[in-house]
Structures are given as C-alpha cells and as structure tokens.
Amino acid sequence: MSPNAGLKDVQGKSLPEASIPALELASVSYAYGKRQALDDISFSIPPGRFAVLLGLNGAGKTTLFSLISHLFATRKGRIHVFGHEINRRPGDALRRLGIVFQARTLDLDLSVHQNLSYHASLHGIGTREANQRIDELLQSIDMSDRLHEKARSLSGGQIRRVEIIRALLHQPSLLLLDEATVGLDIKSRATILADIRKLVHDNGISVLWATHLIDEVNHADQVIVLDRGRLVANGSVNDVVKAAGGTTINEAFSRLTGIVALNPGHRP
Ligand code: ATP
C-alpha cells in the first residue's frame, strides 16, 4: 500500500497520490500577543516546485517557517505537508521536511562529522548508512576534506552549505530555507542557489526559499509575496507581475510592498 494512501486535502476530500501538494496552508494566522504576525494565509506548493517566499523584514517569513516546522503550534488554520496535518501527524509531516533556519545552528565546537551524525541519529539513521550519506553529500559540495574539522574553522558560506546537507541527510521531500544566503558574498550566494535548484531539477524535491532579495527569483519559479503578515500575491512570475500592474518582478515587488526608491534621482 502506498504510504500516502487515504490522504485527504484540507476540505477532507480523498486525494490520488500525484495530486497531493508538497505544502498546503489553509487560513493560517498567528499572533504574538496582540501583534498579528500572519493573517489568514492560504497557498499551496506542488511537488517538485521551487517556490520563493518573498517578503521584507518583518513580513512574517520566519513565523511561517516556525509554524510549518512545528516549532510553534498552529492555533488558527491548517498546515499539511504531503497530506499530513502538522498538528495531528507531526511525525509523518516532519519526516518529509528538511529545514535550514536563518540563524546559524551548527555547534561550532563540534566537528563537521559530529554535527551531521548527531542529526542523523535524531532521525534514526544507523551509523553505517549515516556515514555513507555524509560522505556522499560532503563530496557533492566539495568539502570532504573538512569532515573532521571543527565547524568554527569554516567560512560563513561553508557553514551554510553544511547546514543544507544536514537538512538533506534524512532525504526529505520538501526543503525549507529561511534567508539562506544572507550575509554571504555573491559567489557563495550563487553557488548555494544553483545547488538547491539542481536538487529540484534532478531529484524532484520541493523547495520553499524565503528571501527579501528579488534577484534570487527565476522566471519559472512560483512566487509567494508576504507583506506585513498578509499574502499579497501568489503564482508564476507573470501572474504576480500582471496582478501588481508592473512590468518586471522587481517593480511588482516594490508596488506590492510599498518600497520607495532609496535614491530616486540615481541613474545607474
Ligand atoms: P526578518 O526577515 O526580519 O527575519 P520575517 O519576515 O522573518 O522578518 P518575522 O520574524 O516572522 O518576519 O516577524 C513577523 C512579525 O512578528 C514582526 O512584526 C515581528 O516584530 C513579530 N515578531 C517576530 N517574532 C516575535 C516574538 N518572538 N515576539 C513578538 N513579536 C515577534
């Protein structure tokens, strides 16, 4: 029997496996006390899609990730990961999910191997299997020679790449990355983004990539725009541009989020 047999959508209708969204949010809201961080958010991402969650500081991206990853309980609305409701079946949902948080989360006093094997054991992966996956993944980012070095000795970009392969160790089907390229130089940014896009293309993994950097959007991406806790656009780049009434995604994002040019007189 398929592991997804009997899955239902947010309205309770039975779904064939191929039509189950990688991620589905229905009317999700969240408040910190009186501060409304997310207000009635609904969207879905199909399997094998690269989706960009675009939003300025304070838009609600990290709060959304905290709900999807079950760090916070969803009190209003529902979240399904490959058909598994995160509040009701957190184990099934979290098994399909890999997460790279905005804040650095490697233990700097442990080696690369120790950081990775600890994560593998949390997911119940045996030592031999874990070591094989660690070797293969480190090779794929050209960092095999750093296996026994302390995380402290790595550059910011290398730490990020180790965090990404750590998130992939348990072979998730949906990867969430929160501002994964913040603070990195242009070459590291491009390398990380290209690696993640390759995963989508080669392995059919689904990605939700949160960023405020408009140049990280590709023409074929799904774009979800958050502004001060509200979803203001969702669709293809063309859909979003059309909905905002602009001519480029850059202009559309500025219109949707009310960005005022820093230096209006400047002509590059
Ligand atoms: P950034 O890119 O700056 O991290 P973000 O899009 O991830 O922004 P969030 O961090 O989710 O946005 O914040 C959304 C809103 O919730 C903001 O108004 C923020 O001030 C508020 N907020 C976030 N965390 C808390 C908290 N722990 N307590 C109170 N308010 C919070």
Side-chain angles (χ1 to χ4, degrees):
M1 192 167 92
S2 140
N4 288 327
L7 287 173
K8 305 205 184 319
D9 70 5
V10 287
Q11 273 103 35
K13 284 190 240 141
S14 292
L15 286 167
E17 190 169 325
S19 64
I20 297 166
L23 178 67
E24 191 170 26
L25 278 81
S27 306
V28 172
S29 297
Y30 191 86
Y32 298 94
K34 285 192 177 145
R35 182 175 297 132
Q36 194 72 34
L38 293 172
D39 185 10
D40 199 22
I41 305 293
S42 301
F43 66 84
S44 68
I45 301 174
R49 195 81 201 263
F50 189 100
V52 181
L53 180 67
L54 261 184
L56 299 174
N57 293 142
K61 305 180 296 296
T62 302
T63 305
L64 196 64
F65 274 35
S66 302
L67 293 170
I68 300 169
S69 58
H70 205 43
L71 268 181
F72 301 163
T74 309
R75 294 191 286 262
K76 210 158 169 223
R78 276 195 279 173
I79 299 177
H80 285 77
V81 176
F82 284 95
H84 301 294
E85 218 245 293
I86 189 79
N87 272 357
R88 292 180 51 221
R89 305 183 62 160
D92 289 327
L94 292 176
R95 254 190 293 284
R96 309 290 302 266
L97 206 61
I99 307 157
V100 179
F101 288 107
Q102 186 173 358
R104 300 284 191 262
T105 54
L106 288 192
D107 186 325
L108 298 180
D109 291 322
L110 297 183
S111 69
V112 170
H113 181 263
Q114 284 168 326
N115 271 287
L116 294 173
S117 55
Y118 178 63
H119 178 86
S121 68
L122 285 180
H123 278 273
I125 304 166
T127 309
R128 187 198 292 245
E129 177 67 21
N131 284 338
Q132 195 181 328
R133 290 188 198 177
I134 290 169
D135 283 347
E136 283 170 12
L137 285 164
L138 273 179
Q139 249 178 49
S140 74
I141 57 167
D142 212 12
M143 282 185 62
S144 302
D145 56 330
R146 313 302 291 265
L147 184 65
H148 295 297
E149 283 183 34
K150 290 231 166 105
R152 189 178 297 289
S153 71
L154 305 179
S155 71
Q158 288 164 337
I159 287 179
R160 232 332 73 116
R161 287 156 83 204
V162 172
E163 286 172 333
I164 291 171
I165 65 165
R166 182 181 58 179
L168 294 170
L169 264 178
H170 60 287
Q171 301 177 330
S173 317
L174 170 64
L175 188 60
L176 310 180
L177 301 108
D178 190 2
E179 302 268 14
T181 57
V182 157
L184 304 184
D185 66 38
I186 194 154
K187 189 170 170 216
S188 301
R189 275 180 60 198
T191 307
I192 287 174
L193 195 49
D195 285 350
I196 300 293
R197 288 189 182 282
K198 190 168 180 319
L199 270 176
V200 175
H201 182 266
D202 295 354
N203 303 3
I205 198 169
S206 313
V207 167
L208 181 60
W209 175 275
T211 186
H212 64 277
L213 300 167
I214 196 79
D215 63 346
E216 293 185 344
V217 178
N218 252 11
H219 199 70
D221 296 339
Q222 176 178 347
V223 179
I224 300 154
V225 185
L226 270 189
D227 181 46
R228 288 163 284 184
R230 289 183 312 110
L231 187 142
V232 290
N234 172 27
S236 66
V237 169
N238 281 344
D239 290 341
V240 172
V241 170
K242 219 187 270 176
T247 51
T248 63
I249 187 70
N250 208 333
E251 196 187 332
F253 184 52
S254 300
R255 284 182 178 218
L256 290 165
T257 56
I259 299 174
V260 179
L262 282 179
N263 187 356
H266 178 66
R267 292 274 177 276

